[in-house]
Amino acid sequence: AFVGTWDCGVDTFTFTNTSYTNSSGSYPIHHVARDDRNYSLRFGNGYLLMLAAVTDTGLTWISGQTGDQFNCRRVN
């Protein structure tokens, strides 16, 4: 459900089943856990990214390290 490109205001984020891409680069996703419409993505460096309330048109991007949150809308 989170796979695609999302406009999060501060940047455009692209997710596949195996990677996360933003303006800084592309990062392999090591593990995905799902709880209803919420996803936890773990990366090799220990970074945790949460995608909450994922729908066909929107999600909330939450950094596990900084607590930053962005409301995102699907681009495609």
Side-chain angles (χ1 to χ4, degrees):
F2 64 85
V3 172
T5 301
W6 302 85
D7 178 355
C8 297
V10 297
D11 201 347
T12 299
F13 303 136
T14 300
F15 295 94
T16 70
N17 287 323
T18 59
S19 68
Y20 163 57
T21 304
N22 60 30
S23 60
S24 298
S26 186
Y27 308 92
I29 299 169
H30 285 233
H31 180 74
V32 177
R34 178 180 182 188
D35 178 16
D36 193 27
R37 293 181 0 205
N38 305 309
Y39 296 83
S40 298
L41 284 56
R42 292 197 179 274
F43 299 85
N45 59 1
Y47 187 76
L48 174 65
L49 179 64
M50 290 160 282
L51 306 175
V54 178
T55 68
D56 289 341
T57 58
L59 61 79
T60 301
W61 181 102
I62 306 164
S63 168
Q65 269 61 27
T66 66
D68 289 341
Q69 294 186 30
F70 307 115
N71 293 320
C72 308
R73 66 175 179 78
R74 184 182 293 276
V75 176
N76 68 16

